Each structure stands twice: as C-alpha cells, then as structure tokens.
Amino acid sequence: MSTAPDDVETVDLVDPDTYLNRDMAAYWRALRAERPVHWHPPRGDVPGFWVVSRHADVLAVYRDDRNFTSERGNVLVTLLAGGDAAAGSMLAVTDGERHKDLRNVMLRAFSPRALARVAEGVRERARRLVAAAVEREEVDFATAVAAHVPMATISDLLGVPQEDRPHLFELSRSALSADEAGRSAEDQWSSRNEILAYFGDLVARRRAAPGDDVISSLVTADVGGAPLDDHDVVFNCYSLLLGGDETSRLTTSDLVHAFTRHPDQWARLRGGEVGLDTATEEVLRWATPAMHFGRAAVTATRVAGQDIAPGEVVTLWNASANRDERVFPDPDTFDLGRTPNKHVAFGYGPHFCLGAFLGRVEVREVLDALREQVRGIELVGEPRRIHSNLMTGLCSLPVRLLPA
Ligand code: HEM
C-alpha cells in the first residue's frame, strides 16, 4: 500500500483507480516534502500537468486570476481535454469582469432571506432523515440520508416543484455521480442533457411567472448591461447542482464514517465539549470531497520558484493542502476542536465556493441531528468508495444508529 518517494513518478493522478488502490496520504506527504510543484508526466494521449501540493502554493494560485484562467477548464477532465464547453457562461469557468458581474447576480439571488428559508429546510430535513434512519435496524447512511440533504437543498434554492424532484434526483445520480466504475459514458451524457432540458423548461416557466427563487432572480438580472440568455441561466442552474450535490453528500457520509473510526471525537461532540461550528470546519477539512481544482496559465509565471509556461495546466490539490503539516499541527489527526482551521475545502480567492454557507449548514445540521438523536454509531458492513479523480468519499456506508 505505501507509496515510497521513489515511485512518485509512477503515480497516475488521472486514473480514478489510483485513489482506490494507493495510500495517497503517503504520496502527498512525499510530494509536499520533496516536490511541492511536481511535473506529472504525459502518459499516452494524456498531456502532462503541474501538481501543487502545499497549502501556501495552492492558495497563491487560487488567488492569482491574472496569470491563471478557469476558462480552459477547472478540473483535470476538462483541463486535459483543452477546455470546457460552458466557458464564459457557467460561473466556475468564467473569468474577469463577466465572472464578477455574474457572481454578483448569483450572490444577490442567495439573499439572506432566501438562505434563511433554505437553511430552515435543511434543519427540518436532517432531523427527519436521521430519525427515520434511527428507526431502522441497519441503514446505508450514504443513500438513505446523505444523498437526500443536498438535492433537496438545491431544489429549494432553485424553486424546483416537489413533483419534479424524484425525476431530477434520478437524473442527477446518473449524470454526476461516480459511484460505480464502468458506468456508461453515454448514459451519463444523456442524463446530463436531460437535466439541461429540464432546467430549460423550468427557466421558461419562471420567465412567464417569476417567483422568489434563484432562477427567477437570474432571468430578471442584468449582467454587464444585458439580460442573461436562457443558455446562461440553464448552465448556471446546472452548476449549482454540479457544485452542491456530490460535495455535500460525500462530506455528510464521511463525517459518519469518521465517527465509526474515532469514537473519542463522537464522545466530544455528544458531550458538548466541542462547538458545532468548530466541528463543522474539521469535518470539511477531514473529508475534503473535492480533491483538486485547476487552472491553465495564461502568461509565463512562477509557482514556488518553478517556471510555468503559458498554456500549461496547474492542478491544486486541496486533499494535500488540507493535510499540510506547515499549517495544521498533527494533520492526520481528526480533531473536532481544531482551531484555527484554515482549510481549503471550499477553494479560495475569486472562485471561492458560492455555496459555502449552505455546505456548512448541511454539515452542521446533520451533526446536530446525530448529536441529539443518536447514542452510538456502528459500522455493519464494508463501506464502498466512489470512483473518480475529482471527488473522494463513500457511495455506500452501512451503519447502525443506536437511538439516544
Ligand atoms: C466553487 C467546494 C458546496 C456551488 C467551489 C470550489 C470549491 C467548492 C473547492 C472552487 C472551484 C474553483 O476554484 O475552481 C465545495 C464543497 C462543498 C460545496 C466542499 C460542500 C461541502 C456547494 C453548494 C453549492 C456550491 C451547496 C450551491 C448551492 C458552487 C459554485 C461554485 C463553487 C456555483 C463556483 C464559484 C465561482 O466560480 O465563482 N465549490 N462546494 N457549492 N461552488 Fe462549491
């Protein structure tokens, strides 16, 4: 299992199997110590790219939207393919003035009033789902609880009618999730198109009769003096699903898994020894569901003394930055009372996660519901990991939740 520094060259970060078969913690430790800006060599048709592993360097590139762009993709899959079809339209892959304008419009749509309502929904749902899970002898926490919180939250935000939700939920499962190795690319592609078509239809309904939801704010917004067209609105609805579903789902499962392995931390949470907000941050650091994001260099620049040529791809490994011993004492210890906790689970700089508030609410409310309703958590089967080079976490987590 262990990755000795001398086989760092052979680790293939593009292949999702790597994350299932390797001790990645040892690999990242070796990179941080010896090659903080590592050239991942080309393999077959896959071009080479830079791998940035230290916290300070990851922050520096996230912050630097002068020398780096997101418009040629922001994850390995799109960066290595040479671009993202939604560039200049979808927030996460748009830069400059248009990014600022679009981000402001979306932030306005996330008004405190709208967020307060959505957060209340999260609280109520987390309690209900945990209560139902406690009633059962055994439960797959990943599919029975964690999967339902984020989709319902995003649906509330977007104003998706209740009757459409089961269908959208199924489509999202098939389009986004990397739960199973070998899922057909055609199925994923067709589900993605169905989601876009669904949002197209919902956008038309909101144009005809605006309501109090994010889609209505987007269809009535001005960006740089012009309204957003349907294409832009649809892509940005989809981006909320992309950004908010799998990330929160994986974090929520991971926290339960962490408690089965660290009963001392569960006791601290239950006993009220650690605050929910502090615990939430450690859960996010520990889970780091989005292992990496990335950029393409637009000018000749340097990262930690390493020359980067224009056009080169630079990947930023949150998974490693969040375990950087230069920033986190005992980084491999799950410590719910950890403070300060300057993790980069939500990224940093101009593209800092737009849904960070909601992501935090989701984690906090699940922690709170567990703390109130559950006495102990037991693993009753083998957890199953997802298959992805972007996200990490569990798609199946069989547990028994002992009633409080
Ligand atoms: C951006 C992580 C939840 C919507 C990001 C980025 C990260 C991230 C690392 C930066 C991407 C980059 O720099 O290229 C997470 C995690 C979450 C979470 C770990 C939960 C635990 C959410 C939720 C939503 C959301 C709930 C929506 C409701 C977005 C959007 C962006 C983004 C729209 C793009 C922002 C921009 O480009 O300006 N997220 N996210 N995320 N996230 Fe999240």
Side-chain angles (χ1 to χ4, degrees):
M1 267 292 270
S2 112
T3 305
D6 61 349
D7 82 329
V8 155
E9 284 296 346
T10 63
V11 171
D12 182 352
L13 292 174
V14 180
D15 181 357
D17 285 347
T18 301
Y19 305 89
L20 299 177
N21 302 332
R22 287 257 170 192
D23 176 2
M24 292 307 286
Y27 169 77
W28 291 123
R29 209 175 297 122
L31 244 53
R32 284 193 302 273
E34 288 164 34
R35 303 195 197 182
V37 185
H38 163 62
W39 178 249
H40 188 283
R43 281 193 179 88
D45 295 343
V46 180
F49 55 92
W50 295 104
V51 174
V52 178
S53 50
R54 284 189 189 162
H55 188 273
D57 302 332
V58 165
L59 291 194
V61 180
Y62 268 131
R63 194 166 39 216
D64 182 359
D65 59 351
R66 229 165 26 88
N67 292 307
F68 293 99
T69 179
S70 295
E71 295 209 348
R72 294 184 209 155
N74 71 335
V75 295
L76 268 176
V77 171
T78 48
L79 283 162
L80 296 179
D84 189 312
S89 178
M90 195 192 276
L91 188 66
V93 284
T94 299
D95 278 328
E97 282 308 306
R98 184 152 180 90
H99 174 258
K100 265 196 214 105
D101 290 346
L102 191 57
R103 193 169 160 106
N104 281 336
V105 165
M106 294 191 62
L107 277 174
R108 275 205 298 280
F110 282 50
S111 67
R113 194 163 61 94
L115 287 180
R117 198 187 54 218
V118 176
E120 193 43 48
V122 173
R123 185 171 179 76
E124 181 273 319
R125 204 168 292 118
R127 270 147 213 276
R128 188 162 37 78
L129 288 164
V130 168
V134 168
E135 298 261 296
R136 291 165 56 180
E137 181 70 5
E138 290 178 11
V139 67
D140 187 335
F141 195 88
T143 54
V145 181
H148 294 276
V149 177
M151 271 301 284
T153 307
I154 297 161
S155 300
D156 281 352
L157 201 65
L158 290 170
V160 174
Q162 288 295 342
E163 63 272 21
D164 298 351
R165 292 184 182 196
H167 178 56
L168 192 61
F169 184 85
E170 278 318 309
L171 289 177
S172 174
R173 276 297 71 78
S174 139
L176 303 184
S177 127
D179 284 2
E180 305 295 343
R183 165 173 287 156
S184 118
E186 289 77 43
D187 281 357
Q188 277 189 305
W189 188 80
S190 99
S191 302
R192 239 167 254 175
N193 282 344
E194 268 196 69
I195 294 175
L196 292 172
Y198 172 77
F199 283 134
D201 178 56
L202 196 57
V203 166
R205 284 191 261 165
R206 292 293 174 264
R207 276 205 198 281
D212 185 19
D213 52 71
V214 168
I215 297 185
S216 300
S217 311
L218 291 177
V219 296
T220 51
D222 247 354
V223 176
L228 286 174
D229 63 22
D230 282 2
H231 174 268
D232 289 350
V233 178
V234 165
F235 266 115
N236 283 297
C237 292
Y238 186 51
S239 83
L240 295 181
L241 205 67
L242 271 179
D245 181 15
E246 202 160 21
T247 45
S248 305
R249 177 159 73 90
L250 294 170
T251 310
T252 312
S253 290
D254 197 76
L255 74 89
V256 170
H257 189 223
F259 285 138
T260 64
R261 297 164 67 167
H262 304 277
D264 55 323
Q265 298 303 308
W266 169 246
R268 290 177 84 194
L269 181 79
R270 271 216 88 209
E273 192 193 310
V274 289
L276 281 179
D277 289 339
T278 310
T280 296
E281 296 311 312
E282 180 66 348
V283 163
L284 285 158
R285 182 189 79 91
W286 194 249
T288 312
M291 291 189 285
H292 78 269
F293 275 99
R295 305 289 187 254
V298 283
T299 57
T301 183
R302 285 168 87 80
V303 177
Q306 172 64 55
D307 286 327
I308 310 285
E312 283 181 343
V313 167
V314 177
T315 54
L316 311 173
W317 290 83
N318 304 332
S320 174
N322 279 348
R323 295 285 194 280
D324 189 340
E325 38 293 284
R326 288 155 200 79
V327 175
F328 303 100
D330 295 327
D332 298 321
T333 302
F334 180 52
D335 169 9
L336 284 187
R338 185 182 291 278
T339 155
N341 194 341
K342 299 225 165 294
H343 66 76
V344 290
F346 291 121
Y348 187 70
H351 287 277
F352 179 77
C353 178
L354 198 73
F357 173 85
L358 282 180
R360 288 185 159 118
V361 167
E362 291 176 50
V363 172
R364 192 170 55 233
E365 293 304 340
V366 170
L367 284 174
D368 202 23
L370 288 169
R371 182 170 81 159
E372 275 185 25
Q373 301 181 36
V374 175
R375 170 166 48 92
I377 306 172
E378 291 170 0
L379 201 58
V380 293
E382 201 47 44
R384 227 175 46 245
R385 304 200 71 78
I386 65 162
H387 187 247
S388 167
N389 66 14
L390 172 61
M391 298 285 171
T392 184
L394 304 172
C395 54
S396 175
L397 178 62
V399 289
R400 182 175 300 126
L401 301 179
L402 306 171

